[in-house]
Amino acid sequence: MRIDVVTIFPDYLAPLSLSLVGKARTAGIVDLRVHDLRDWTTDRHRTVDDTPFGGGAGMVMRPDIWGAALDELLGEDSHLLLPTPSGASLTQRRSESIAREDEHLVIACGRYEGIDARVAAHYADRGVRVSEFSLGDYVLNGGEVAALVLIESVVRLLPGVVGNPHSLVEESHGEAGLLEYPVYTKPPVWREAEVPPVLLSGHHGKVERWRRDQALARTAERRPDLLRRLDPAELDKKDRATLSELGWTVGEHGPVLPSPEAVAD
Ligand code: ADE
């Protein structure tokens, strides 16, 4: 996969030389290049922004500068990604489809009040795949951290990046739609806290059941919104018993329904 990131702070992307993403680059799995938007400016001050039409606080990034940069970087099969708090939420499913389908990502990191809205519209009109995405319901100072997050979440899904692909299967936000169960390692007793005995039992079936129950309980407590979205067909008798102990009921056809007193979200 080829990834181009455009930013006015190229140093912000330095961590992309580290850890798994750094290794994926060295291994040639991902060809990642970071560009300074100011390289496409033409004035002495290397200006990238101006005041907003219609008034208001802050500055807006100029479409002509972004247009010059993106015309040069976008190709036939590029996916243009714009991090913005007003975008659609980035999810594991989105990262999976990007990892599976896209050959070339161009990530345009906005700063200030954002990039002139004509930029995204223009490239969409020209037939480029354009996605405005948000990390979550909070505001960052710019898109660089969101670009780091997107790249890490996508690159770790590319074949050959994570040593044991099995570790991708059971993690939180995996296909089961549940948060991951808690994990433990040595020592078996730490500051008087013991590892749950079932994990030392060597009984594979019981371990699996315990982990599933823990995942259900965690999801019920921390992310009832995810639990409600579970497909009832995926819930066996034991799942239903566990959920019932937690105060939830599973409807015949619809999603998982909590009894009113069970949920406080
Ligand atoms: N830029 C500023 N805030 C952001 C957010 N929450 N997600 C993505 N990009 C952003």
Side-chain angles (χ1 to χ4, degrees):
M1 176 181 271
R2 161 94 187 247
I3 305 177
D4 290 277
V5 184
V6 189
T7 168
I8 56 167
F9 294 118
D11 292 346
Y12 230 115
L13 286 300
L16 294 173
S17 303
L18 305 173
S19 185
L20 277 182
V21 177
K23 281 191 194 141
R25 293 173 79 178
T26 315
I29 296 169
V30 62
D31 174 6
L32 199 153
R33 302 177 200 191
V34 179
H35 310 269
D36 187 343
L37 178 68
R38 293 192 201 276
D39 290 347
W40 281 275
T41 57
T42 48
D43 67 316
R44 211 159 52 86
H45 301 290
R46 314 226 302 157
T47 312
V48 294
D49 60 342
D50 213 321
T51 52
F53 282 125
M59 301 289 270
V60 175
M61 296 189 106
R62 293 176 56 113
D64 50 346
I65 312 298
W66 274 109
L70 296 175
D71 282 351
E72 203 173 311
L73 295 171
L74 289 166
E76 281 280 293
D77 286 316
S78 308
H79 185 178
L80 174 59
L81 291 141
L82 301 117
T84 162
S86 49
S89 292
L90 180 65
T91 61
Q92 187 67 16
R93 297 293 92 76
R94 290 281 290 141
S95 294
E96 283 164 2
S97 82
I98 292 170
R100 201 173 44 239
E101 289 159 26
D102 290 339
E103 297 267 293
H104 181 209
L105 311 181
V106 177
I107 309 175
C109 300
R111 281 260 145 186
Y112 317 117
E113 296 304 307
I115 300 173
D116 185 302
R118 289 169 292 183
V119 174
H122 169 78
Y123 288 102
D125 281 351
R126 270 173 49 175
V128 176
R129 197 165 158 223
V130 178
S131 302
E132 298 185 68
F133 74 94
S134 170
L135 287 192
D137 296 339
Y138 40 81
V139 179
L140 306 168
N141 289 331
E144 286 76 10
V145 168
L148 289 172
V149 169
L150 175 77
I151 291 166
E152 180 154 321
S153 75
V154 168
V155 168
R156 65 193 295 280
L157 298 176
L158 298 176
V161 174
V162 169
N164 176 5
H166 193 72
S167 62
L168 299 175
V169 174
E170 283 192 8
E171 60 196 6
S172 293
H173 305 296
E175 274 168 33
L178 297 172
L179 300 182
E180 200 180 10
Y181 49 78
V183 294
Y184 301 86
T185 186
K186 295 176 197 80
V189 182
W190 175 72
R191 299 190 182 173
E192 289 171 32
E194 289 176 18
V195 169
V198 63
L199 299 178
L200 311 174
S201 70
H203 193 300
H204 185 66
K206 282 189 182 159
V207 170
E208 288 297 293
R209 188 62 247 168
W210 181 87
R211 286 181 166 165
R212 175 93 179 159
D213 288 343
Q214 291 286 313
L216 286 164
R218 264 194 172 178
T219 311
E221 163 145 6
R222 300 177 182 179
R223 294 294 304 276
D225 58 313
L226 294 182
L227 202 61
R228 268 188 227 103
R229 266 186 258 147
L230 286 184
D231 178 355
E234 300 285 315
L235 298 168
D236 67 15
K237 248 177 133 180
K238 289 191 172 140
D239 293 334
R240 287 160 196 257
T242 302
L243 287 170
S244 159
E245 276 170 35
L246 295 165
W248 288 67
T249 50
V250 179
E252 269 296 303
H253 310 289
V256 180
L257 296 170
S259 55
E261 64 276 11
V263 175
D265 70 320

